[in-house]
Amino acid sequence: MKRFLAFALSSVMITSSVTLGSIPLAVNAAGVDAVPISAVVDSMASKSGKASEPTKEALESVIKAVKAKITIPKEYSEFNYNFRNTVSFDGFEWNLSWRNPKDDSYIQVSADQNNRIQYYEKYNYSDTNSIPKYLKKELQSTAEQFLKKIAPEVALKVTYKDADYEGIYSGNYVYNFERNENGVSFPDNTVSVGVNSVTGEVQHASIGWIYDTKVPSSEVKVTKEEAEKLIKENMKMKLIYRSNYNRIFAEDGSKLKKEAYLVYTPSEDYISIDAKTGKVYLSKVEWQENNYSVKSKQNMDEAAAITGDSGAGSISFTEDEIKKMEELKNLISKEDAIKKVTSNKYLYLDKNLEVYSATLNKSYNGDGETYVWNITLNDPREIDYKKETDYYRAYASAQVDAKTGKIVYFNASMNNYYDEVKGKWNTVSIKYNKEQAKEILEKFLKAENSSRFSKSKLASESDDFVAYLRKDTPVYSGYSYQYNRVNDGIEYPNNSIHGSVDGISGKVYSYGYYWENDVVFESPKGAMSAEKAMEHYLSKDGYGLKYEINVVNTDNAKNTTNNNASYSSVNEIRLVYRPDINPAFLSPFTGEQLTNSGEAYKEAKAFVYKDVPETAENKEILLLADMNIGFEGEYFYPEKAITIGEIASLFEEIGYGYPDDDTKKTDPKLITKEELTQRFINELGMEKVAKLPGIYQTGYADESSINPEYLGAVALAKGLAIIEADSGNNFNPKANVTRAEAVHYILKFLEVRREGIYR
């Protein structure tokens, strides 16, 4: 048992803010005087013989290393840290933080056992970000120089991939880099650096890197075509249904139904082919036999019992209301519901269980609202912690359909066979194997859920929980199964039935389902073959030669060099062919990639326009493009009048829009300056204020030509500096707005919206 506890306790956290005697601290690299740091850390001897525990010397060393690379201003005078061992106990990391007590601004840095920076963040609460002042390309060198400063050895081995805009509320451009070795990409090792688009200052950096591990040569003995053949032999494309939860009308037009659409998806979550040996890998984690913990079934099942109320929104009723409903004779009584559970020959019910409660709720399980009895059973025996050696107390919970009497959900706690007094595992006879347990579960399913079970197929089965250990090898006494709904023989994983059976007693200890009655399934007629889908899949961007990380776990029961942890982990790098194809869903009719919502996938591309050169006059258009907002196509047409539909599309990209914008996005009508002004005021939530009569004057020379309906909006927009007049102090309310003007006004609007000065 101690070995399992070691795994559970393998993360050691020590936090301190006390003073650290007189540690000599160097002036940091930028010339700012180092802040005196105070903290007393007890020196602890490392049981493993490695410096894997916090010491005064180790803390001093990591502070010096970090401050040699990163400037810590004097005002960040409050210092804290914590120390965390990794799961394997072979390594650790320091988390250091400096805080400015005046405004709670902070700098945080994480470093590994070799004082190498893994993460950096600087946050200033007084910053008020706004629309970008710099273009992405103008700040890329800032990100690269910062990376060279904090991790020079990493900077030498990365390739710039792309940059994105985090959003107006952070105002950061995030520059992404990928490791490259021997001319081969290494996507498992990446670096990102966030630079503020307004100030040009680095705000955060993350270095996901594996050090001190040999990188094999890029020489291959297996060709890409040979690897593709092996992938096809070991992975298939599987045709399944998915749901985007869009609603469609039934054939009679009377009821909305949910649409399930067809996709091809790989049968394996992961696959790669060793480029030197041709070995097929279905995992990047090797030897996990002892990388587990014995499940605390009681704790786990408590969580399951909570989620087992498989519905959104439970509505409770008083006893008087329950009696009134029972009088209708269409709901079974509480006693009958309890009996449905306690007399069921298939269910696992501990002999000490007694009914604790039974409540009637309105619940939803995908197939519509229904009344269910929620029943809980507990072992009422009190525990004497001074004398008692058996602290385990069983419990179970169930839901029974109050109309049909069928069991909707069941979960019972299971105890393992560890003897706390003797400190050893007791053995027990496992009477039922996985196949026999499955037969028992299916008999139960036919009795309780026959109509749904008949429309399902076994999708997965697995060992569930450990009864005891035999020579450090787990002996499982529980088996779990999942049955997915099928239509025309095609699985619909969104709907399924699950159950678990105890191999000792042969009883069901877990059961539930989620099933939707209002689903319309797309017809598979005309769908391509799985072989053809595989051809499409491997033709997409992402399949090729790569380096990847494989985690090799070692059982420390047989490793005398590390007795502190239940296991230790070592990383290795291997050269493989791997299909990193995302999204992994393909249309069975066209072979194109589909998004999670079933729409045709379009790779996000930066907005680049042939008619917008990089000049000062065009900077606003370029800034908006760097914020991922713009028009598709090679041309922007700055002087072209913008339509209501195009404005609606731009607002949607920004993150604003009305519920009916789906129809507005196709509106070809040109928008006038006063109409656009009203739109801005509406988005600011000031439309009611703008409608107040008799209080607004704009001061524009052509105020009389402004539609009275828009006068308040125009006056407010002028005060907020969103829209300006021309050189003759004319507003030109009826003028059509050009695309370039729209960009200018939108940026002004975003500035106001971000600063919130209108509130």
Side-chain angles (χ1 to χ4, degrees), residues 227-235 271 273 538 543 579:
E228 183 176 327
K229 184 173 182 293
L230 289 168
I231 289 174
K232 292 177 180 178
E233 291 173 356
N234 290 274
M235 183 179 78
I271 190 171
I273 308 298
L538 292 177
Y543 170 57

Side-chain angles (χ1 to χ4, degrees), residues 220 293 648:
V220 301
S293 60

Side-chain angles (χ1 to χ4, degrees), residues 420-714:
E420 296 281 354
V421 176
K422 296 180 180 179
K424 68 175 186 178
W425 293 93
N426 295 324
T427 59
V428 64
S429 174
I430 310 296
K431 299 178 181 179
Y432 301 90
N433 60 30
K434 194 177 292 185
E435 184 61 30
Q436 293 169 323
K438 180 167 73 75
E439 292 175 2
I440 292 170
L441 176 63
E442 292 186 351
K443 288 179 181 178
F444 170 75
L445 296 180
K446 288 175 182 177
E448 293 296 327
N449 207 344
S450 59
S451 63
R452 296 181 183 87
F453 178 62
S454 65
K455 299 174 184 176
S456 306
K457 65 181 293 187
L458 182 65
S460 64
E461 54 185 312
S462 61
D463 295 325
D464 188 42
F465 71 91
V466 177
Y468 64 92
L469 299 184
R470 180 189 294 139
K471 295 181 180 180
D472 286 341
T473 300
V475 177
Y476 292 91
S477 61
Y479 316 104
S480 291
Y481 310 85
Q482 178 168 316
Y483 298 81
N484 287 343
R485 182 177 182 176
V486 295
N487 180 73
D488 287 336
I490 301 167
E491 290 183 38
Y492 180 43
N494 289 46
N495 287 187
S496 62
I497 305 171
H498 64 85
S500 302
V501 176
D502 174 33
I504 298 172
S505 65
K507 300 291 186 180
V508 175
Y509 62 84
S510 178
Y511 159 70
Y513 68 89
Y514 182 81
W515 203 275
E516 302 156 318
N517 287 339
D518 57 346
V519 179
V520 174
F521 291 96
E522 183 178 22
S523 170
K525 185 178 180 180
M528 67 181 68
S529 67
E531 293 75 18
K532 186 67 176 177
M534 180 63 80
E535 294 292 338
H536 280 283
Y537 177 73
L538 292 177
S539 70
K540 307 300 181 187
D541 289 340
Y543 170 57
L545 188 66
K546 301 174 176 73
Y547 284 111
E548 70 176 18
I549 300 171
N550 180 45
V551 180
V552 182
N553 293 321
T554 303
D555 181 9
N556 287 329
K558 301 172 184 177
N559 179 6
T560 58
T561 63
N562 190 345
N563 294 321
N564 285 334
S566 59
Y567 75 98
S568 60
S569 300
V570 177
N571 293 315
E572 71 171 15
I573 300 173
R574 61 194 186 196
L575 184 66
V576 300
Y577 291 100
R578 195 172 80 188
D580 291 341
I581 298 169
N582 184 39
F585 304 118
L586 301 186
S587 165
F589 307 105
T590 66
E592 63 184 340
Q593 289 174 276
L594 301 178
T595 65
N596 282 330
S597 60
E599 299 172 351
Y601 169 71
K602 293 182 179 179
E603 185 178 359
K605 294 183 179 180
F607 293 108
V608 179
Y609 308 109
K610 291 182 177 179
D611 57 347
V612 183
E614 293 185 9
T615 63
E617 293 77 13
N618 291 325
K619 189 164 186 178
E620 288 186 327
I621 297 173
L622 298 172
L623 286 173
L624 200 70
D626 276 352
M627 296 169 69
N628 304 320
I629 302 168
F631 297 114
E632 292 186 5
E634 296 181 335
Y635 295 91
F636 185 82
Y637 302 114
E639 301 307 316
K640 181 180 178 181
I642 197 166
T643 68
I644 291 176
E646 289 167 340
I647 284 289
S649 295
L650 290 178
F651 267 88
E652 182 184 55
E653 291 180 50
I654 296 168
Y656 301 103
Y658 296 135
D660 61 346
D661 267 353
D662 280 343
T663 57
K664 286 188 177 182
K665 281 188 291 186
T666 58
D667 192 335
K669 182 183 175 184
L670 301 180
I671 193 167
T672 65
K673 197 173 180 182
E674 61 183 3
E675 289 171 338
L676 180 58
T677 302
Q678 185 67 58
R679 176 70 188 258
F680 288 137
I681 296 304
N682 291 349
E683 293 293 354
L684 293 174
M686 302 174 70
E687 61 269 30
K688 289 185 178 180
V689 176
K691 297 297 182 184
L692 294 174
I695 65 171
Y696 291 110
Q697 289 184 346
T698 66
Y700 291 130
D702 58 350
E703 180 179 305
S704 61
S705 63
I706 299 173
N707 187 326
E709 182 182 354
Y710 301 129
L711 181 63
V714 173

Side-chain angles (χ1 to χ4, degrees), residues 55-156:
T55 65
K56 176 180 178 180
E57 293 75 19
L59 179 58
E60 176 182 1
S61 176
V62 70
I63 292 171
K64 285 182 177 180
V66 168
K67 296 184 76 173
K69 297 176 178 178
I70 294 173
T71 300
I72 309 295
K74 274 187 176 182
E75 56 268 24
Y76 290 76
S77 56
E78 290 189 3
F79 172 73
N80 273 283
Y81 74 92
N82 62 51
F83 172 91
R84 186 178 69 88
N85 276 114
T86 58
V87 172
S88 67
F89 267 23
D90 284 339
F92 60 88
E93 73 175 21
W94 291 98
N95 294 296
L96 312 177
S97 67
W98 292 266
R99 190 178 71 88
N100 183 343
K102 292 183 179 180
D103 63 2
D104 285 334
S105 299
Y106 62 81
I107 294 173
Q108 291 183 344
V109 179
S110 295
D112 67 11
Q113 65 267 30
N114 293 311
N115 297 340
R116 294 175 294 216
I117 294 174
Q118 298 173 311
Y119 180 76
Y120 166 84
E121 180 182 8
K122 182 177 183 182
Y123 187 83
N124 189 341
Y125 284 95
S126 63
D127 281 349
T128 303
N129 292 322
S130 59
I131 61 173
K133 288 184 171 57
Y134 295 95
L135 298 172
K136 280 180 186 174
K137 63 181 300 182
E138 293 176 319
L139 296 178
Q140 181 179 332
S141 62
T142 301
E144 293 171 342
Q145 291 302 316
F146 185 80
L147 180 58
K148 288 179 181 178
K149 182 179 178 182
I150 67 169
E153 68 275 41
V154 169
L156 292 173

